[in-house]
Amino acid sequence: MNRRHLLICALATLTPRPGFAAPTPYRLGAGGATITYTFMLNGAPVKGSVPISQADLRVDPDNLAASTAVVRADVRRARTGLIFATEALKSPSVLDANTHPTASFRSTRVRLGPGGRISDGATLDGDLTLRGVTRPIRFDAGLFRARGSAAGDFRALTVMLKGRVDRRDYGATGYADLVENTVGIDIVAEITSAG
């Protein structure tokens, strides 16, 4: 059984059920959360990361469409595997980390897949703020229970988000001769119920 099949099986249990309850607050788990970004530098892919510094998460496993997220990241702690690329990334012409040290995301809508299931291709819409500029973004979304947990046990969850942005939309136009404009964003967060 491959990893994709295991993930789909885990997600299949997270479907809306009758008797909706209010969304439960969740906090980042012991494994934390990482934003990984990928961009093309002179024709070669480069990956980097930014730690999530704060998260206000509310999840309702009985009504996933009512779930919300507000997440902040400290772009001054952004890293790549190349020191010169890291410094360029934080420079005034790209992320301008000294003037705009915080990036943020606020969800606006959860769209469940066909049949009202997150395992059928859910998306998370929201507003992403970089360099003080806010634009809408859409992530492909996945949510699954901790491995080995019981079917109704939602105390520990893993959130997986995947999206793309055009850095020009946020005024991050520096090094255009070396860096492509599309940046991939992947977020993996372990969260635990705080309620």
Side-chain angles (χ1 to χ4, degrees), residues 53-186:
S53 56
Q54 184 180 10
D56 179 7
L57 310 168
R58 300 188 181 271
V59 178
D60 185 349
D62 292 324
N63 182 17
L64 288 170
S67 302
T68 61
V70 178
V71 178
R72 291 177 183 81
D74 185 348
V75 297
R76 294 170 299 186
R77 296 176 59 200
R79 299 287 181 266
T80 71
L82 306 168
I83 194 158
F84 73 89
T86 296
E87 293 310 310
L89 176 73
K90 295 188 280 187
S91 73
S93 65
V94 185
L95 290 179
D96 197 7
N98 286 334
T99 305
H100 302 286
T102 303
S104 65
F105 170 79
R106 178 181 297 274
S107 67
T108 56
R109 184 173 182 183
V110 177
R111 298 171 187 255
L112 300 178
R117 293 166 34 142
I118 198 168
S119 58
D120 293 332
T123 58
L124 177 65
D125 294 340
D127 294 322
L128 176 65
T129 301
L130 291 171
R131 291 176 50 96
V133 177
T134 302
R135 294 282 185 268
I137 186 171
R138 175 171 291 168
F139 288 102
D140 293 330
L143 181 70
F144 58 97
R145 293 180 288 106
R147 185 175 301 207
S149 62
D153 184 357
F154 303 115
R155 290 173 296 176
L157 301 170
T158 299
V159 179
M160 299 175 72
L161 303 173
K162 188 176 190 69
R164 300 173 80 77
V165 296
D166 186 325
R167 65 192 185 102
R168 295 172 297 185
D169 292 341
Y170 299 89
T173 57
Y175 306 95
D177 55 332
L178 295 173
V179 179
E180 292 186 12
N181 294 314
T182 300
V183 178
I185 300 175
D186 292 280

